[in-house]
Amino acid sequence: MESAAAQETRGAETPRPAAPPPSPAEPPAAPRARPRLVFRTQLAHGSPTGKIEGFTNVRELYAKIAEAFGIAPTEILFCTLNSHKVDMQKLLGGQIGLEDFIFAHVRGETKEVEVTKTEDALGLTITDNGAGYAFIKRIKEGSIINRVQAVCVGDSIEAINDHSIVGCRHYEVAKMLRELPKSQPFTLRLVQPKRAFGEGHLGSRGQVGGERLGCGRETLRLRSGGAATVEEMPSEFEDEASRRVDDLLESYMGIRDPELAATMVDTSKKTRSVQEFAHRLDSVLGEFAFPDEFVVEVWAAIGEAREACG
């Protein structure tokens, strides 16, 4: 006979092993961190190579370059990409390729020239560095300024008739020059980029080509307000439309500004009519006070670029 203890043991239910606790939900995958964006830089007249990072606009870029080489940011006139030469085709604007090499052109000699305005147009195209300096981007062949050998592409315009224009935008400087009276001499105080020892003025009367070191397909787009963003290289349409708009800026206002042109092209993508385009330009770029006929021509040029690029 079974003992009472055995019967009790046999009649008892064998306990089931406890179920494992439910596994916690898998956390969402963190977005893949983009590697730090570090750019190589040199002073265009000669220096060791420095590395810079952590900037979101041109002023911060200049501050980083200045810190790398122990100079004041105000010493930097402009920067070129992948060429140490004064080459306006390589001028740093609002976009930097992720593999681009940045060359900073710093203040060199100051010079004063006297010019007599015998025609309405001086033959200058002005741009600026986004940090307070306007400078000469192009000199029209056969123009008044072309006959003044001391004035060169790349020269920063520091003063007109002893009136400092440091801090003025390119369109403001161009307007001042247009409004100078004819048949009266005026004085330009210019600062030329510093040159390496024994080197002539590389960009004196025209454009000079340079080697391209960067070949990346992405760019860092610098913005005057807000953070910089990494974007794909502009499309064929965006390049062509921006070029046409930049040409119109030169013919209407005497300035060249690829970043301004690109902003106008971007604005056009969000509009369906020239009236809506004009309204958006006023809200985004109202300080330029673009005339109506100019806006109409820009709208037409962007449309032509779109058709040309399919």
Side-chain angles (χ1 to χ4, degrees):
M1 293 181 61
E2 292 180 4
S3 66
Q7 291 178 1
E8 183 177 350
T9 301
R10 183 169 54 82
E13 293 184 2
T14 304
R16 295 180 180 180
S23 59
E26 291 292 330
R32 185 167 59 92
R34 183 177 290 277
R36 287 165 45 199
L37 301 180
V38 180
F39 295 87
R40 295 170 298 159
T41 183
Q42 287 182 0
L43 301 180
H45 64 278
S47 75
T49 298
K51 294 184 178 181
I52 56 173
E53 60 179 305
F55 53 89
T56 61
N57 56 52
V58 172
R59 289 184 183 273
E60 291 180 6
L61 166 63
Y62 285 11
K64 293 289 185 180
I65 295 173
E67 181 181 358
F69 296 110
I71 60 176
T74 53
E75 288 292 301
I76 301 173
L77 297 179
F78 57 86
C79 294
T80 49
L81 298 176
N82 308 311
S83 175
H84 70 283
K85 300 177 181 179
V86 180
D87 181 357
M88 295 295 105
Q89 299 299 325
K90 305 289 186 180
L91 193 65
L92 184 151
Q95 293 187 329
I96 307 173
L98 299 190
E99 297 179 15
D100 281 345
F101 201 114
I102 303 170
F103 291 89
H105 299 255
V106 302
R107 293 174 63 94
E109 296 180 4
T110 300
K111 54 192 176 185
E112 287 200 357
V113 296
E114 186 176 275
V115 182
T116 299
K117 189 176 182 182
T118 56
E119 304 170 19
D120 290 331
L122 292 169
L124 282 178
T125 298
I126 308 297
T127 191
D128 64 43
N129 67 357
Y133 288 145
F135 57 95
I136 299 169
K137 186 170 185 179
R138 181 179 295 179
I139 298 173
K140 185 177 180 180
E141 189 173 351
S143 65
I144 296 171
I145 292 296
N146 191 55
R147 296 192 288 269
V148 183
Q149 290 298 309
V151 180
C152 301
V153 168
D155 286 351
S156 172
I157 305 175
E158 192 169 69
I160 302 172
N161 286 333
D162 292 326
H163 172 68
S164 174
I165 62 164
V166 174
C168 294
R169 292 299 314 275
H170 46 23
Y171 64 92
E172 296 173 312
V173 177
K175 184 172 183 288
M176 293 177 201
L177 293 171
R178 282 198 307 270
E179 292 176 349
L180 289 169
K182 286 176 64 175
S183 304
Q184 292 187 21
F186 65 93
T187 302
L188 290 175
R189 184 161 74 242
L190 307 169
V191 180
Q192 67 183 36
K194 189 172 183 178
R195 304 191 294 265
F197 179 75
E199 180 181 55
H201 200 299
L202 292 166
S204 58
R205 309 309 295 174
Q207 304 297 338
V208 182
E211 68 279 9
R212 177 164 179 77
L213 305 180
C215 57
R217 295 181 59 188
E218 291 184 312
T219 66
L220 180 69
R221 183 162 184 179
L222 307 178
R223 303 181 187 276
S224 55
T229 55
V230 175
E231 302 178 356
E232 291 293 320
M233 291 286 286
S235 66
E236 181 186 0
F237 156 69
E238 290 167 331
D239 266 342
E240 177 62 18
S242 295
R243 183 191 64 76
R244 294 184 186 218
V245 173
D246 205 21
D247 287 345
L248 287 172
L249 286 170
E250 182 174 25
S251 63
Y252 267 82
M253 303 177 65
I255 64 173
R256 289 197 79 88
D257 189 332
E259 180 59 18
L260 174 58
T263 299
M264 297 176 79
V265 173
D266 284 346
T267 302
S268 75
K269 297 176 187 175
K270 306 163 188 170
T271 60
R272 297 182 179 180
S273 68
V274 67
Q275 292 82 8
E276 188 181 356
F277 178 54
H279 178 73
R280 282 189 176 267
L281 282 183
D282 283 342
S283 63
V284 176
L285 301 167
E287 71 272 19
F288 288 91
F290 296 123
D292 291 342
E293 63 271 19
F294 172 73
V295 174
V296 171
E297 286 213 33
V298 168
W299 178 259
I302 293 172
E304 291 166 1
R306 186 176 287 109
E307 290 180 5
C309 297

